[in-house]
Amino acid sequence: MTVEIQPVHVQSSTVWRRRVVIRRTLVVGRALILYALMVAVGVTFLFPFLWMLSTSLKTDAQVFTNPPIWIPNPVEFGNYVDALVMVPTARYFVNTLIITVVPMCAVVISSAIVAFAFARLEWPGRNVLFAVLLSTMMLPGQVTMIPLFVLFHRMGWTNTFKPLVVPSFFASAFYVFLLRQFFMGIPKEFDEAATMDGATPPLIWWRIIMPLAGPALAAVAVFSFVGNWNSFMEPLIYLRTAKKWPLALGLVAFRDEYYTQWQHLMAYSVIVMLPCLIVFFFSQRYFIQGITLSGLKG
């Protein structure tokens, strides 16, 4: 009886191949588990939107059927037309643009100026004042809501757009923090070279820092646009007349004392959220880049 003995290098090669196969299997398994979790989380977040979209296409009799109907039959696209006609959508849209676009532009510029001073200029007490600025982020909105209302009421600004627009010209602590983190990542050699050429700090901010901070500025703009567009509480507090309401407050028009027109309410909600989806879709690359480069990485 003869025993065949394999060379040592053949055995080691077989063991190496097995290890490679096991390693690849583990990598693929981890990737599948990760993708499965991501899909599950995505479906969880997408579920309310799908239900809202489905309800917006139902008839009144299909809204509360049991079991629930996901695919309406018949599909009522007329709910969107009715929702636009039932409220002064054009007026609400103009009001929303005023309290969204103007504050967005104002907060981007003002926050960039303050962030530049904290990140690129040397002056006494800079770090202490920045810590005080960040501490204001710890105050919830419910704490400052009544004092701000009393202040704006005494100034005669209630029932106007001023309480919703003017504060944006004085920067935002969160946006200052985000932009400061981005500005600090820009090499200071640019500032030194520009200073040697005779550039002043305002010129350095405008001609050097701002062009290089495009992703961070886009992130701030998206945050501000979405926040102001969907703002409900502040317009409800300061705007008393319906002709000055934004789109978010227009949702109240679909609620009566004893009855809510759910299909029209959901159709109007889809219309209101469409601009936010469009803005994020076209700016998501710059938005994500600005977040990851500004010290907010997960």
Side-chain angles (χ1 to χ4, degrees), residues 127-255:
N127 295 330
V128 175
L129 189 58
F130 182 68
V132 174
L133 177 67
L134 292 183
S135 66
T136 61
M137 297 172 57
M138 302 179 185
L139 291 175
Q142 293 80 359
V143 174
T144 59
M145 184 182 300
I146 296 178
L148 285 176
F149 177 81
V150 173
L151 174 64
F152 292 139
H153 179 70
R154 291 181 178 179
M155 296 175 64
W157 285 10
T158 54
N159 202 30
T160 67
F161 296 136
K162 293 180 182 180
L164 307 175
V165 175
V166 174
S168 301
F169 287 87
F170 297 93
S172 169
F174 174 72
Y175 299 148
V176 170
F177 166 73
L178 191 149
L179 292 174
R180 174 184 176 270
Q181 298 302 108
F182 192 94
F183 291 169
M184 292 181 66
I186 300 175
K188 285 195 173 183
E189 285 77 8
F190 293 141
D191 299 16
E192 297 172 357
T195 302
M196 293 179 63
D197 291 337
T200 59
L203 187 61
I204 295 174
W205 170 78
W206 179 251
R207 299 293 297 272
I208 297 177
I209 301 300
M210 293 294 282
L212 294 175
L217 296 176
V220 172
V222 172
F223 271 129
S224 177
F225 182 89
V226 175
N228 292 323
W229 185 275
N230 295 323
S231 179
F232 180 86
M233 183 61 66
E234 290 185 352
L236 181 64
I237 293 174
Y238 296 113
L239 302 178
R240 294 193 296 268
T241 57
K243 66 178 182 180
K244 295 183 179 181
W245 283 359
L247 290 170
L249 285 184
L251 298 171
V252 181
F254 297 95
R255 298 183 57 186

Side-chain angles (χ1 to χ4, degrees), residues 32-51:
L32 290 177
I33 294 175
L34 179 61
Y35 285 129
L37 291 175
M38 293 175 61
V39 170
V41 173
V43 170
T44 302
F45 280 96
L46 195 61
F47 177 81
F49 175 76
L50 294 178
W51 180 254

Side-chain angles (χ1 to χ4, degrees), residues 89-106:
T89 306
R91 182 187 298 273
Y92 292 166
F93 182 76
V94 172
N95 296 338
T96 307
L97 286 180
I98 293 175
I99 66 175
T100 299
V101 177
V102 176
M104 180 188 68
C105 298

Side-chain angles (χ1 to χ4, degrees), residues 10-11 28 34 57 66 68 78 116 122 153 172 191-192 226 234 256-257 259 266 269 282 295:
V10 174
Q11 295 179 358
V28 173
L34 179 61
L57 298 173
N66 193 13
F116 176 79
E122 298 289 342
H153 179 70
S172 169
D191 299 16
E192 297 172 357
V226 175
E234 290 185 352
D256 296 332
E257 185 177 358
Y259 177 71
M266 295 302 169
S269 299
F282 285 103

Side-chain angles (χ1 to χ4, degrees), residues 62-124:
Q62 294 176 340
V63 173
F64 293 105
T65 56
N66 193 13
I69 300 174
W70 279 96
I71 301 178
N73 186 20
V75 178
E76 290 290 339
F77 290 102
N79 290 336
Y80 287 87
V81 178
D82 296 337
L84 292 175
V85 174
M86 292 173 65
V87 298
T89 306
R91 182 187 298 273
Y92 292 166
F93 182 76
V94 172
N95 296 338
T96 307
L97 286 180
I98 293 175
I99 66 175
T100 299
V101 177
V102 176
M104 180 188 68
C105 298
V107 79
V108 168
I109 299 300
S110 59
S111 298
I113 294 174
V114 178
F116 176 79
F118 280 119
R120 315 297 288 191
L121 302 181
E122 298 289 342
W123 44 279

